[in-house]
Amino acid sequence: SSGINAEYGQHYYITNNLSTMRILGPKVSNCFFLLSCWGTIMLLLLGIFFQTKSVILLKDIGYDEDRYESAALTCFIAGGIYLVIGVITYWQKVVNDRYSALEPETTTIVF
Amino acid sequence: MMVNSPCFTQCSEADMSKLLRSEDMSLIQIFLSQEASYNCIRELGELGAVQFSDLNEGVNAFSRNYVSEIRRSEEMERRLRFFAGEIEREKLPVPADYTVPPAPNPKDLIDLEATLEQLEGETRQINANQEALLRNFYELKELKHVLNSASAFFQEGAAIQQEGLKERLTPKYDEEVAAQVSRHLSFLCGVINRAKIPVFERVLWRASRGKALLRHMEIEEMIKDPVTEEDIPKSTFIVYFQGEQLKMRVKKICEGLGATTYPCKEDWEERRQTEAEVDKRLQELTSILSETKNHRFRMLNTVVSSINSWIIQVRKVKAIWYTMNKFKKTETGLLHAEGWCPKLHLNDVDRALKRGAQVAGSEVAPILNTVTTRRTPPTYHRTNKLTKGYQAIIDAYGVATYQEINPAIFAIITFPFLFGIMFGDIGHGCIMFLAGLYFCLKENYFLKRLKSYEEIFLMLFHGRYLIMMNGLFAMYAGFLYNDIFSLSLNIFGSGWQISNFTQYENSTGDIDPGKTYGLDPATDDWTGKPYPFGIDPFWNLAENKLTFINSYKMKLAVILGLAQMTFGLVISLFNYKFKGKTLDVSCTFIPQMIFLQCLIGYLVFMIFFKWFMCDPSTPQPSLLICLINMFLKFGSPIEPEMHLYDMQLYVQSALVVISVLCIPWMFGAKPLVQHLYPRVRQASYAPLPQSYEQFENDGEEEEEEEEHGFMDMMVHQGIETIEFTLGCISNTASYLRLWALSLAHAELSEVLWTMIIGNGLAIDINKYINPIFLVITFLFWAVATVVILIIMEGLSAFLHALRLHWVEFQNKFYEGEGRVFAPFSFERMLNGADDD
């Protein structure tokens, strides 16, 4: 289906158009987006600190200086995985925002 | 003197912002003409600058002036609730409209009333019509089912007549009845609730003495009850009996059990005709029903878009009438209102009144008088969105007395600072700061939709500036403690080195990981270059890290405690001078200050002395033991282990003597002076402000200054003295919570790191699986950090910092016996202020 059909599109989970494919809901995608931002930045920095062989991280690798490089590689790859998760959740965030922009905002009647 | 300076004369009073104390208030009287009153009060409600006093305090709510108007607005509210109920029943979506409409002027109000009345009438009529139609519809449906099942019943009946009795009849029935079955029977058919069938059967059996036969069949389609719209399972039934009397009895039983009977012909042709008619009628009814439903829908849709706006308008109107009920009618036909207004808003009130009178077209201009009074006005602190949160948390403990120094302005910085000392982590502080920043930047979005959030989120949202500042100061403290997620940053280069590796080597010459490393400044490990800002990162690896950090944080806590308490005492000095209580300055403030400095000030002096002057290579005296021995071993020479500096004995003895002398000074000087020189008037024992609204006359009440007896003054002063002297020690010890919480936070942070991420990095299976483990462990670590360290510890540190302000800081100077200024303001009312 091309374009966004407001009435039916909401219940389509797999569509042909990438910009309307909704896999994750708004809460999950926002939550994991924030988490993966944090994860990417922190794991990348941690990887850099492992590469510069900072002393403070010695006890995390069991006092074995040879494991610095492998730990650094682990951190970088994990950071990369979080980057991928971040991109996916960001895409889902955008798709969810598009869906919620279609529905007019409603409130409850408050006395 | 700036009298001749041109810019001074151009400044109006409103521009002079008074942060330190509450605003100057004046008691005003307003005289309004009857026609202009509604409009004027409407303007004042939008302005929100006047707190009206209730001049009709003793009058019953039902005998006030504007009771009928209030009844009318409540009638409007009732109609709006009816519409809200209907809209909810249809589950219509209400479009969000966040504009706040102004209160209607009298003409619009009448229009609104008429509109609501007409709409309600129409809606009720449509509802009644719909109900009647539905009832008709369901009856026809039931008839159709009866006609359908009648054929089955009659076939059975014919079979009974034709085939024989024993197989068909149930054992209940007599031989006699069986013989009579072949003769012609009367019958009644209808529909009954399925649940009532057993009862029906039993009652019929008893009433007819076994001479009636009941047959029933289930209806698969659920019939809806027209009123409640529930689905009720029903069955069709047919009762065979003989004789008129039995017929009446059966009819009564059917009525009693709520079964509806329908006329049904035996003849198949007639039944078919009736069925055809019923079908036609059902079709007609369906189309009429859908039309009615559409009409109702359209009706409600016209209401839905404006209902929230109407609700706000009606609330404002009701508030105006309630306020006007507080006014008195004078003999000349004017309305007399009285209230408190900040001096800086007097011009605005004047303009608003004139505007209101002009709109109403009244020739009589409203009169605004300022009245001098000795009543204590309410406390009004002008706040902006940043200071509002701090003012709220200070006011939660006690509202400042009129024009005493407002501790909230100092709390803007001291509160986040103390929070940061207890929270102290760059990473956690950064997350908190970003969270607060997000809410602050998006505040307009949230402010519009305030009503649709729960309480907890609202509390978080209203404290967004506090959260942001707390996060910022926590980052600063994190740099001081050099702690980011329990690791240390080495930005400037450490001042420590390992000078001697051999003590940590095992026999083969490798570093033995089991040996622990302790830092000792007396050895060559200390290079002599202190780390420029914060704690040296090397301490994170040291075995004696906690010994050092605990001592440092405890001393820091005492220093900060003394600083804040001294500051509190100085504020009390300013409060005394503002109120002209010179006796309090000399008899309360000075001895308190001297006592505090002699004890805790001396302790802080010793802390700094020991930090700067002592030689690390020899064991140094414990400061607490020094302080205790100062009192317990008064006069005896200083032992060599407790020796800090020469002249220590004389200094300490002098301090003890001075501080002990301060106690009778605090205790007895003031009552003595007041007794001997009664002309020295002090307002310090004035009774608590009474409720101002009780005074009948025009506000010239005097505050009574009772002459307490000498003994009463002594007792009062005695209590204060004991509180202060014991408080010096206990409050200082209380400040040690700054150390305790930061220790807890640091340890929790370290546990989470080593146990979660440490284990994640320690797993070394395969270079492809490792990152996946790390991804999962990072997820757990992040969630645990946010929930335990940021939310739980954050709340805890927030609470303790608040307590330090409320108790240890404020009991040095704060009275807190004021009442908050609660003006008549539509904005306050709509945001949920509950005053009346």
Side-chain angles (χ1 to χ4, degrees):
Chain A
S1 62
S2 61
I4 303 172
N5 188 338
E7 278 173 284
Y8 300 112
Q10 289 181 28
H11 300 288
Y12 275 13
Y13 284 101
I14 310 287
T15 65
N16 294 332
N17 189 349
L18 252 188
S19 68
T20 59
M21 202 149 107
R22 207 154 84 143
I23 311 172
L24 307 167
K27 281 190 190 135
V28 167
S29 58
N30 280 333
C31 195
F32 274 91
F33 174 65
L34 285 175
L35 214 85
S36 27
C37 278
W38 181 5
T40 321
I41 298 176
M42 183 154 165
L43 285 172
L44 285 177
L45 282 175
L46 201 58
I48 294 175
F49 283 128
F50 269 120
Q51 270 206 325
T52 57
K53 300 205 189 220
S54 82
V55 182
I56 204 92
L57 295 166
L58 208 47
K59 61 178 186 252
D60 287 326
I61 51 173
Y63 296 99
D64 183 7
E65 287 187 44
D66 299 323
R67 284 177 52 191
Y68 268 123
E69 280 110 23
S70 66
L73 189 62
T74 312
C75 283
F76 282 129
I77 298 179
I81 296 178
Y82 268 111
L83 190 64
V84 169
I85 297 180
V87 165
I88 296 176
T89 52
Y90 181 71
W91 162 54
Q92 283 300 301
K93 227 167 87 80
V94 167
V95 168
N96 279 317
D97 284 342
R98 261 199 216 136
Y99 275 107
S100 58
L102 281 178
E103 302 164 3
E105 206 180 329
T106 60
T107 58
T108 51
I109 303 177
V110 181
F111 275 91
Chain B
M1 289 289 283
M2 300 199 307
V3 179
N4 293 324
S5 151
C7 72
F8 188 77
T9 53
Q10 282 169 13
C11 283
S12 70
E13 264 189 53
D15 294 348
M16 310 269 202
S17 72
K18 278 178 79 172
L19 273 184
L20 192 63
R21 299 175 194 278
S22 71
E23 296 290 326
D24 289 316
M25 309 285 281
S26 51
L27 186 65
I28 57 172
Q29 280 182 340
I30 305 178
F31 292 95
L32 298 164
S33 65
Q34 300 267 15
E35 327 77 82
S37 54
Y38 179 88
N39 277 311
C40 289
I41 302 302
R42 202 182 98 199
E43 294 287 336
L44 286 183
E46 299 286 346
L47 181 64
V50 184
Q51 177 181 353
F52 288 105
S53 326
D54 192 353
L55 294 173
N56 301 325
E57 181 91 17
V59 179
N60 190 349
F62 293 102
S63 26
R64 295 207 184 199
N65 296 334
Y66 295 99
V67 177
S68 51
E69 276 82 1
I70 291 184
R71 279 219 185 90
R72 280 164 61 189
S73 12
E74 297 211 328
E75 181 72 15
M76 283 200 275
E77 227 174 43
R78 187 194 57 77
R79 295 203 172 108
L80 287 169
R81 274 183 219 276
F82 168 69
F83 287 131
E86 294 293 308
I87 290 174
E88 215 168 305
R89 217 153 60 112
E90 295 295 325
K91 298 198 187 10
L92 279 178
V94 181
D97 176 22
Y98 296 114
T99 58
V100 176
N105 57 38
K107 187 175 79 67
D108 291 339
L109 183 58
I110 297 177
D111 286 342
L112 179 64
E113 228 181 334
T115 313
L116 286 179
E117 196 180 333
Q118 181 214 6
L119 281 174
E120 191 206 10
E122 274 185 42
T123 313
R124 281 204 196 273
Q125 195 172 43
I126 295 178
N127 280 354
N129 284 351
Q130 195 177 29
E131 204 178 308
L133 284 171
L134 269 178
R135 189 157 289 155
N136 208 352
F137 180 77
Y138 287 127
E139 275 176 13
L140 285 172
K141 271 221 148 138
E142 285 178 359
L143 178 56
K144 189 167 166 192
H145 284 295
V146 165
L147 289 172
N148 275 340
S149 31
S151 0
F153 287 145
F154 288 145
Q155 274 175 12
E156 250 189 287
I160 290 173
Q161 286 183 353
Q162 280 170 19
E163 286 183 21
L165 312 171
K166 292 227 173 100
E167 294 139 284
R168 286 287 177 191
L169 290 176
T170 61
K172 281 190 201 170
Y173 293 94
D174 257 342
E175 284 284 337
E176 207 183 60
V177 175
Q180 286 173 354
V181 165
S182 54
R183 286 183 233 138
H184 181 70
L185 297 167
S186 315
F187 63 88
L188 253 169
C189 50
V191 171
I192 188 173
N193 277 4
R194 223 174 280 174
K196 293 204 180 145
I197 287 184
V199 183
F200 191 40
E201 233 173 343
R202 234 179 302 134
V203 175
L204 260 183
W205 163 240
R206 291 221 185 94
S208 63
R209 274 169 243 163
K211 295 199 171 110
L213 173 62
L214 171 72
R215 278 272 177 265
H216 58 267
M217 213 158 77
E218 284 180 4
I219 308 180
E220 296 100 33
E221 190 186 345
M222 300 280 229
I223 308 285
K224 274 199 185 185
D225 182 284
V227 177
T228 62
E229 299 206 7
E230 276 173 23
D231 286 330
I232 305 177
K234 293 197 173 178
S235 303
T236 53
F237 68 89
I238 186 165
V239 183
Y240 290 104
F241 51 83
Q242 212 182 12
E244 275 303 308
Q245 267 195 346
L246 211 45
K247 184 172 183 176
M248 297 313 300
R249 247 183 252 169
V250 170
K251 265 203 176 150
K252 284 237 171 73
I253 294 171
C254 289
E255 263 179 53
L257 285 175
T260 33
T261 49
Y262 296 100
C264 192
K265 304 279 184 280
E266 272 201 69
D267 185 24
W268 181 74
E269 265 299 317
E270 283 181 43
R271 277 213 310 275
R272 209 168 56 85
Q273 259 182 9
T274 326
E275 210 172 320
E277 276 174 28
V278 166
D279 272 331
K280 202 174 70 164
R281 187 90 183 104
L282 271 176
Q283 258 186 1
E284 276 175 29
L285 267 183
T286 318
S287 66
I288 297 179
L289 265 175
S290 73
E291 255 188 58
T292 317
K293 208 165 167 191
N294 280 342
H295 189 188
R296 197 176 112 97
F297 220 73
R298 263 178 283 135
M299 189 90 224
L300 287 177
N301 262 320
T302 57
V303 170
V304 142
S305 44
S306 6
I307 189 167
N308 271 328
S309 154
W310 285 340
I311 289 173
I312 293 178
Q313 285 180 319
V314 168
R315 281 185 73 182
K316 286 190 175 181
V317 165
K318 232 169 77 157
I320 295 178
W321 293 125
Y322 269 114
T323 309
M324 283 175 62
N325 265 342
K326 295 183 182 172
F327 304 162
K328 260 202 167 124
K329 281 201 170 117
T330 64
E331 303 89 30
T332 50
L334 295 176
L335 275 181
H336 167 213
E338 205 174 85
W340 293 103
C341 175
K343 283 216 172 83
L344 59 94
H345 286 317
L346 278 175
N347 283 334
D348 297 324
V349 170
D350 200 31
R351 274 202 296 267
L353 287 172
K354 290 207 169 63
R355 235 190 348 252
Q358 202 179 35
V359 166
S362 147
E363 295 102 31
V364 181
I367 304 172
L368 175 64
N369 274 344
T370 318
V371 178
T372 51
T373 175
R374 292 173 76 177
R375 283 197 250 158
T376 311
T379 315
Y380 174 49
H381 296 290
R382 257 200 303 176
T383 53
N384 59 27
K385 58 190 180 182
L386 171 63
T387 57
K388 200 157 109 164
Y390 293 100
Q391 194 67 54
I393 60 176
I394 297 291
D395 280 350
Y397 195 64
V399 179
T401 318
Y402 181 63
Q403 300 221 309
E404 87 171 323
I405 292 188
N406 178 18
I409 61 170
F410 309 116
I412 298 176
I413 296 297
T414 57
F415 177 75
F417 185 74
L418 290 183
F419 177 91
I421 298 284
M422 287 193 266
F423 203 67
D425 187 308
I426 300 175
H428 303 145
C430 185
I431 293 174
M432 219 171 166
F433 173 69
L434 290 175
L437 190 66
Y438 170 73
F439 281 122
C440 291
L441 290 176
K442 285 253 172 170
E443 62 186 1
N444 288 328
Y445 174 87
F446 287 106
L447 277 173
K448 281 198 293 189
R449 297 163 178 71
L450 268 185
K451 292 208 189 94
S452 45
Y453 297 128
E454 307 91 34
E455 282 257 1
I456 297 186
F457 179 79
L458 270 185
M459 269 204 290
L460 255 176
F461 174 71
H462 282 308
R464 59 197 182 276
Y465 283 100
L466 274 82
I467 294 178
M468 190 176 79
M469 293 283 275
N470 284 350
L472 192 63
F473 278 78
M475 275 166 61
Y476 172 75
F479 276 108
L480 272 179
Y481 296 153
N482 210 344
D483 187 354
I484 173 168
F485 296 124
S486 88
L487 307 169
S488 296
L489 294 172
N490 186 358
I491 308 176
F492 305 106
S494 174
W496 295 85
Q497 63 192 4
I498 305 181
S499 56
N500 181 6
F501 272 99
T502 52
Q503 56 179 305
Y504 299 103
E505 283 171 3
N506 53 21
S507 43
T508 58
D510 295 324
I511 302 284
D512 185 356
K515 291 243 168 73
T516 53
Y517 184 73
L519 290 175
D520 186 351
T523 62
D524 282 334
D525 293 338
W526 171 237
T527 59
K529 284 189 316 210
Y531 196 72
F533 185 80
I535 294 185
D536 198 295
F538 217 106
W539 281 107
N540 204 314
L541 302 167
E543 180 220 3
N544 54 351
K545 162 181 165 195
L546 277 182
T547 321
F548 164 67
I549 296 247
N550 283 350
S551 158
Y552 167 69
K553 284 186 181 172
M554 280 202 246
K555 290 176 179 167
L556 180 69
V558 170
I559 295 170
L560 288 176
L562 177 73
Q564 198 172 33
M565 289 196 286
T566 310
F567 183 51
L569 271 182
V570 168
I571 293 180
S572 80
L573 170 69
F574 280 100
N575 271 339
Y576 293 142
K577 290 181 87 166
F578 182 80
K579 299 229 164 98
K581 299 185 192 175
T582 49
L583 190 63
D584 268 307
V585 173
S586 52
C587 295
T588 313
F589 167 71
I590 295 185
Q592 279 181 345
M593 185 61 113
I594 296 178
F595 185 83
L596 180 64
Q597 300 309 319
C598 283
L599 285 184
I600 312 299
Y602 180 61
L603 176 61
V604 169
F605 162 75
M606 282 201 290
I607 290 174
F608 279 109
F609 189 87
K610 190 170 168 189
W611 273 345
F612 284 116
M613 300 299 200
C614 286
D615 176 16
S617 49
T618 55
Q620 294 298 319
S622 153
L623 296 179
L624 275 178
I625 310 281
C626 269
L627 195 66
I628 293 172
N629 285 348
M630 186 166 111
F631 282 91
L632 287 186
K633 297 193 181 158
F634 173 73
S636 48
I638 310 280
E639 294 150 18
E641 306 92 68
M642 293 294 138
H643 180 94
L644 260 182
Y645 56 94
D646 301 326
M647 306 286 287
Q648 190 176 356
L649 172 62
Y650 301 109
V651 170
Q652 285 187 297
S653 313
L655 286 176
V656 171
V657 165
I658 295 175
S659 54
V660 168
L661 279 179
C662 280
I663 297 181
W665 186 358
M666 267 190 262
F667 177 60
K670 186 162 153 196
L672 257 175
V673 169
Q674 282 194 301
H675 183 68
L676 295 176
Y677 301 99
R679 284 177 296 135
V680 180
R681 302 258 282 162
Q682 289 294 314
S684 51
Y685 294 129
L688 287 176
Q690 297 124 24
S691 70
Y692 306 94
E693 334 299 347
Q694 281 170 5
F695 297 122
E696 291 282 329
N697 42 14
D698 337 319
E700 287 185 18
E701 287 304 319
E702 294 184 18
E703 274 179 12
E704 295 180 11
E705 296 182 5
E706 296 175 24
E707 298 276 334
H708 287 253
F710 177 63
M711 283 318 294
D712 287 338
M713 278 194 273
M714 288 282 281
V715 166
H716 184 101
Q717 203 63 10
I719 294 174
E720 281 204 22
T721 307
I722 295 176
E723 255 190 67
F724 182 81
T725 48
L726 293 183
C728 265
I729 308 293
S730 78
N731 291 350
T732 309
S734 183
Y735 272 98
L736 285 174
R737 70 187 69 219
L738 295 174
W739 155 66
L741 259 89
S742 77
L743 176 68
H745 188 96
E747 289 301 295
L748 262 177
S749 181
E750 194 174 320
V751 161
L752 279 183
W753 181 269
T754 40
M755 289 298 134
I756 304 185
I757 297 221
N759 276 332
L761 287 171
I763 294 176
D764 197 6
I765 301 174
N766 172 339
K767 74 170 182 183
Y768 299 111
I769 310 261
N770 286 348
I772 310 220
F773 268 116
L774 189 57
V775 165
I776 299 174
T777 47
F778 178 83
L779 179 67
F780 282 118
W781 176 83
V783 170
T785 296
V786 169
V787 171
I788 298 177
L789 283 173
I790 296 184
I791 295 180
M792 190 186 85
E793 277 284 318
L795 273 175
S796 176
F798 188 103
L799 185 75
H800 284 286
L802 197 55
R803 174 250 154 75
L804 282 176
H805 277 78
W806 280 349
V807 179
E808 276 78 18
F809 176 50
Q810 285 179 195
N811 71 6
K812 302 288 178 288
F813 68 96
Y814 198 52
E815 279 173 50
E817 284 164 0
R819 57 203 172 107
V820 76
F821 176 60
F824 170 60
S825 155
F826 291 137
E827 204 183 315
R828 272 184 74 244
M829 174 194 77
L830 290 173
N831 286 339
D834 40 13
D835 308 314
D836 301 308

